[in-house]
Structures are given as C-alpha cells and as structure tokens.
Amino acid sequence: MKKIGVWFILMTMITTMFAPVSYAKEESGPELVESAKSAILLERDTGEILYEKNSGESLPPASMTKIMTMILIMEALDEGKLKLNEKVRASEYAASMGGSQIFLEPGEEMTVEELLKGVAVASGNDASVALAERIAGSEAVFVKQMNQKVKELGLTNTKFQNTTGLPANDHYSTAHDMAVMAKELLKHEQITKYTSIYEDYLRKGTDNEFWLVNTNKLVKFYTGVDGLKTGFTREAMYCLTATAKKDDMRVIAVVMGAESPKDRNADISAMLDYAFNHYETESLYERHQPVDTLKNIRAAKTKVDVVTSESVSVLKKKGQTIENVDEKLVYNKNLTLPIQKGEIVGTLTITSNGKPLSKTNVVVNETVEEAGVWTLFKRSMSELVKQR
C-alpha cells in the first residue's frame, strides 16, 4: 500500500514529543461541563473522545431521538425510496401529536422537504410521525427500524419507543450513543442544509403560515454550529446534540439533563471552545473518495472503485507532530458476488509509527453483479488466446 507523506510543524514543547496519540479525557483533565448530568465531546472523522462526563449514563433523550429519525429519513432519500419534492398526506394520528409541532391538519399535504424542515428546525413531532408513516407504513414499524439501526451501529445503551422523544417507558439513550448517532447522521452532508436554518416559513403566503424558528440557538450565536438537535421534557430537562466545523475539523458535543437552556448552551460552548482551541485535524480523504480498485474476474464489471464510507482525517493536539503516517487497506475475507452498492468490503487504517490513528470502513461505489456464463466463457477463451 502506498505511503502518505504527511508532515506537520515541529513541536513547541519537548514533552509533547513522546506523548501517545490518544485524546480521551483523563481524570486530571478540564472540567468543561457544570450543569448537565452527562456530556461528551468527540471529533467526527476519527471518533476520538476529547472530553466526557458520565457519558454512559442512561437518560431520556427527549427530542434528540429525532437524530435517529433523521438518519432513516436521509437513508430513504439516498436510496431513492423518498423524494424531497414528493407530497406526504398527514394522518389523523400524525396530526394528533402533542408537544413541539408544525400544526399539521389531518389530510394536509406537505412535501418531504417541508416536513424535514419541520423536524430539523422546529422539532415537529407531527412532521416526524408523518414521515415515519410514509417510510415504514406506521410509526410502530419505523420504531423497529430505528432500534435495528441502533444494533447496526453497535450501541448497547439505547432503546426507542417512538420517533419523537415524547415521554415513554423504556425509552432511553446516553450521551455517548447520541454522539455516535450524530456521527452517522453527518455522513449525509445535506442534513446540515436543514439543521443550520435559523428561521424559515411553512405554508408561506397562506392564512395559516407557520414561522419556523430553530430550537438550537447556537446556530445563530456560535460561529460554525450547523446542527443538530435539541431536546426538552420535564423528565429529560434540557438536552442538545450540537455539531460545529472550523477549518478541516468537525466536532460533536452532547449534553443531557442540563438545568436550563442557558446552562445547556454554556456547556456546549465550553466543549466547542476547548476542541477548537486545543486540537486540529489534517484531512486525508473526503467521503466516497476512491482509495483502491477492486478486481474480480468473475464479476460482470471486473474493476470497480473502492471508496471511503466517510471522511478520513488525522487528529492532533495543536503544536504536536505526528511522523511516519501510513495507510493500510485490508479487504474482508471471502467476499462473494453480488456485492451491493455501499456494502463494506474492507477497512482502511491510518497509523503513525505503527500506532493506529483512525480506522474507516471502505465500500464499493456501485453494485457488483456476477458475470453470466457466456461472459465468463468469452473471458476464458480470450485468456487462452493470449497465452498462445
């Protein structure tokens, strides 16, 4: 495998020269979060934890539940099962949702894009259920899909009972799990087009025009914040999963159980300040950038690009040097045809002096079908002719 020539500036302090490349908060680290019951801060590309406080404690996530709802919505859009300009008719059940809402009427039609704005900006419970019913047929089936996605992400401390985050028994998550879900949602880069909106309108120019105002005030008041989702119930108190990008680095910060919106925003801001003041990343690959070519003589198309499943970066403390950065691509054993577009076929590992810095799944960027008998026969004959 090729070697990446990545050289960083010389260290400013000799003590950083031999520091291990590990960024999880130590016991003696800064206490960034005062109000919230639990919190976590991580860098998006590498998944490295920069700070945490009780991040594994199970708590009600309130409307941060909609992060998983939006993951499934974005997947449906990517797969062509849903279109932004498609109109969705609101059921009586969807229109009956309490709490935050965009006040859908039974039988009212809105486009998928309008409903997605209603979820991402105004945290509309009615919009969430309307989209869930369109994708899965019912909210109950959609919730099963949400919990299946939880398993696929390897999360063990999350369980959903609805698409909205309205109070329900046995409905819980953790700051850690919410951060992982946010990382997954951010693979769909278009989502920040909606979560970054501070204000907009639905039904504009009509008698029942609705003013959308983002429940995440940091979108307006903290430079670089472009999502993702707030949450509040009396049980959950004030919660927020936020993301911000500065230069090449994107971070995710989560707080759960803060005492007030002001405390919630202060805790998130403190974590974001810490991340951007002390860390930086070097981008190596964009999402879906080719890293290799998969060759299979038995495939209908013998060569297909292997691409990154998400963006790949190296994280370092400011002023730190990381030397001898290499990449290693290892394919999964016993790959069999057909291979579906987006299917994981291997792992790209970035190392420094043999120490792993990041590990990213690689996928094929198109479906690889098995070649037919006639195609295989012609290839065999062609090889025989070459050997003569």
Side-chain angles (χ1 to χ4, degrees):
M1 295 298 167
K2 65 181 181 178
K3 183 175 181 180
I4 304 175
V6 180
W7 295 92
F8 299 101
I9 61 173
L10 291 174
M11 296 171 290
T12 58
M13 294 182 66
I14 195 69
T15 53
T16 62
M17 185 180 297
F18 303 104
V21 185
S22 176
Y23 308 112
K25 171 187 171 288
E26 298 175 358
E27 290 301 317
S28 59
E31 289 300 331
L32 304 176
V33 171
E34 296 182 2
S35 170
K37 291 181 180 177
S38 70
I40 195 168
L41 171 68
L42 61 81
E43 193 274 325
R44 191 274 305 269
D45 285 359
T46 62
E48 288 285 352
I49 297 171
L50 309 181
Y51 172 87
E52 57 184 336
K53 173 186 175 181
N54 304 326
S55 64
E57 181 179 354
S58 295
L59 294 167
S63 281
M64 292 196 305
T65 297
K66 296 185 180 79
I67 290 176
M68 178 58 81
T69 302
M70 289 190 287
I71 288 174
L72 297 188
I73 292 169
M74 297 307 293
E75 286 183 348
L77 286 167
D78 284 354
E79 294 166 6
K81 297 176 181 177
L82 203 61
K83 298 186 182 302
L84 286 172
N85 61 359
E86 173 188 344
K87 287 197 171 182
V88 175
R89 180 182 172 88
S91 68
E92 287 193 18
Y93 175 67
S96 72
M97 291 295 108
S100 301
Q101 55 188 300
I102 59 172
F103 299 98
L104 289 172
E105 294 289 339
E108 181 178 3
E109 291 188 343
M110 276 193 181
T111 65
V112 168
E113 184 167 42
E114 290 170 327
L115 291 171
L116 181 54
K117 285 183 183 179
V119 177
V121 180
S123 195
N125 295 325
D126 46 0
S128 298
V129 173
L131 285 170
E133 290 179 333
R134 163 60 186 84
I135 292 169
S138 71
E139 184 186 27
V141 175
F142 190 87
V143 170
K144 289 181 180 179
Q145 294 176 1
M146 292 169 71
N147 287 318
Q148 178 58 39
K149 189 68 178 181
V150 166
K151 292 180 181 178
E152 290 175 12
L153 294 175
L155 307 179
T156 58
N157 293 308
T158 295
K159 187 175 182 181
F160 297 123
Q161 301 295 339
N162 56 50
T163 66
T164 61
L166 287 168
N169 291 331
D170 209 26
H171 185 105
Y172 58 86
S173 190
T174 67
H176 169 272
D177 286 6
M178 293 308 311
V180 174
M181 283 181 264
K183 188 176 187 296
E184 181 71 13
L185 179 59
L186 286 165
K187 288 180 180 180
H188 307 275
E189 295 177 358
Q190 191 180 14
I191 192 61
T192 57
K193 172 184 175 182
Y194 304 102
T195 58
S196 63
I197 295 170
Y198 186 70
E199 59 181 338
D200 202 348
Y201 290 89
L202 294 176
R203 312 181 189 92
K204 192 171 179 64
T206 67
D207 291 339
N208 58 343
E209 182 176 273
F210 184 75
W211 183 33
L212 292 172
V213 181
N214 204 317
T215 54
N216 180 8
K217 304 307 178 191
L218 292 180
V219 165
K220 183 175 183 180
F221 296 108
Y222 193 107
T223 302
V225 171
D226 52 7
L228 279 166
K229 193 70 204 69
T230 59
F232 170 78
T233 63
R234 286 184 182 144
E235 180 188 19
M237 294 302 291
Y238 294 91
C239 307
L240 174 57
T241 297
T243 184
K245 186 175 182 181
K246 183 177 181 181
D247 298 325
D248 286 330
M249 185 167 75
R250 178 177 286 281
V251 296
I252 297 165
V254 183
V255 297
M256 301 181 74
E259 296 175 2
S260 70
K262 182 178 179 180
D263 290 331
R264 172 179 69 187
N265 291 346
D267 286 343
I268 290 287
S269 296
M271 287 192 285
L272 297 180
D273 288 345
Y274 175 74
F276 293 129
N277 285 338
H278 292 86
Y279 296 89
E280 59 189 353
T281 59
E282 181 77 14
S283 178
L284 302 181
Y285 290 100
E286 297 296 325
R287 187 186 183 211
H288 291 165
Q289 184 174 340
V291 295
D292 198 18
T293 301
L294 185 64
K295 300 174 183 178
N296 191 318
I297 192 66
R298 299 190 62 83
K301 185 176 181 180
T302 56
K303 297 179 181 180
V304 63
D305 282 342
V306 175
V307 302
T308 55
S309 61
E310 53 189 314
S311 50
V312 181
S313 299
V314 172
L315 175 70
K316 63 165 187 162
K317 285 187 175 181
K318 288 187 174 180
Q320 183 181 25
T321 296
I322 303 175
E323 298 181 342
N324 300 322
V325 177
D326 294 294
E327 68 173 17
K328 184 177 182 181
L329 178 60
V330 177
Y331 285 104
N332 296 341
K333 294 180 179 179
N334 304 320
L335 285 174
T336 57
L337 298 173
I339 303 173
Q340 300 301 316
K341 178 181 178 180
E343 185 175 333
I344 296 170
V345 295
T347 304
L348 176 68
T349 301
I350 307 298
T351 63
S352 171
N353 293 320
K355 183 179 179 63
L357 299 180
S358 73
K359 187 175 288 187
T360 307
N361 290 329
V362 293
V363 301
V364 288
N365 66 347
E366 57 185 295
T367 296
V368 185
E369 300 286 359
E370 188 169 7
V373 174
W374 177 241
T375 299
L376 291 174
F377 174 75
K378 287 193 294 182
R379 285 178 188 167
S380 297
M381 295 302 296
S382 177
E383 287 299 315
L384 285 174
V385 170
K386 288 179 183 179
Q387 292 173 14
R388 289 184 177 182

